[in-house]
């Protein structure tokens, strides 16, 4: 239990650090004139929901990763986590900073696929913990649909 707590704290620091870096890369994206003038999906949540959702997601994901890395700290899991981290952080830069909506859609689709891979392929030894991925999976499906809507309607 002590080692899992260490891994979980490590991933809390990394994941919330990633959110901070992603936020910095946005360059005021959600309040930019470009974003405010986009035709957004009718189901776009209010701004405050994003912060709450990502907080819950990263706490659950960090607990999941703490258990996963306690059971299987190997190069495959490290590489998959690193790719997930890069995709997650870079989406903010791609979508908000560079305003590359299609590339952002490709990025978030890859990220969503990777989280589903965690759930269905990488969780054999942490079966009960894989359900901690559900908030991330659900949110990414919503976020992907929002990105797709912006791509189609702008």
């Amino acid at each position: 239990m002590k080692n899992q707590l260490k891994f979980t704290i490590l991933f809390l620091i990394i994941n919330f650090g990633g959110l901070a870096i992603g936020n910095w890369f946005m360059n005021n994206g959600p309040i930019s004139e470009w974003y405010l003038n986009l035709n957004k999906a009718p189901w776009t949540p209010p701004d405050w929901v994003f912060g709450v959702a990502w907080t819950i997601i990263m706490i659950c994901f960090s607990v999941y990763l703490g258990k996963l890395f306690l059971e299987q700290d190997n190069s495959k899991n490290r590489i998959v986590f690193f790719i997930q981290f890069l995709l997650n952080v870079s989406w903010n830069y791609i979508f908000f900073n560079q305003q590359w909506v299609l590339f952002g859609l490709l990025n978030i689709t890859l990220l969503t696929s990777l989280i589903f891979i965690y759930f269905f392929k990488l969780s054999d030894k942490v079966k009960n913990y894989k359900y901690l991925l559900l908030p991330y999976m659900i949110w990414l499906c919503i976020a992907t649909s929002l990105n797709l809507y912006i791509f189609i309607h702008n």
Side-chain angles (χ1 to χ4, degrees), residues 55-95:
T55 300
I56 292 167
I57 288 163
M58 285 304 147
I59 290 169
C60 291
F61 191 46
S62 295
V63 172
Y64 166 82
L65 290 170
K67 182 64 172 177
L68 179 67
F69 276 79
L70 176 67
E71 300 296 329
Q72 293 179 295
D73 186 3
N74 57 42
S75 59
K76 178 175 82 172
N77 283 340
R78 289 176 186 221
I79 291 168
V80 171
F81 173 74
F82 181 72
I83 294 168
Q84 176 277 148
F85 184 86
L86 285 178
L87 289 170
N88 196 341
V89 170
S90 65
W91 182 87
N92 294 296
Y93 178 77
I94 293 165
F95 184 85

Side-chain angles (χ1 to χ4, degrees), residues 5-70:
L5 182 60
K6 287 180 185 178
F7 274 120
T8 300
I9 291 170
L10 172 66
F11 283 112
L12 283 167
I13 292 166
I14 293 169
N15 288 330
F16 279 99
L19 289 180
I21 293 167
N23 189 45
W24 180 66
F25 279 159
M26 282 195 294
N27 196 26
N28 295 321
I31 58 171
S32 70
E33 188 173 324
W34 171 78
Y35 182 74
L36 293 174
N37 289 321
L38 287 174
N39 184 10
K40 292 181 266 319
W43 60 91
T44 302
D47 293 343
W48 65 268
V49 172
F50 290 83
V52 171
W54 278 111
T55 300
I56 292 167
I57 288 163
M58 285 304 147
I59 290 169
C60 291
F61 191 46
S62 295
V63 172
Y64 166 82
L65 290 170
K67 182 64 172 177
L68 179 67
F69 276 79
L70 176 67

Side-chain angles (χ1 to χ4, degrees), residues 34 38-41 95 99-106 143-154:
W34 171 78
L38 287 174
N39 184 10
K40 292 181 266 319
F95 184 85
Q99 302 168 4
W100 295 334
V101 177
L102 176 58
F103 193 38
L105 180 59
L106 294 172
T144 303
S145 75
L146 296 173
N147 196 149
L148 177 62
Y149 187 95
I150 288 171
F151 174 71
I152 291 171
H153 295 280
N154 289 277

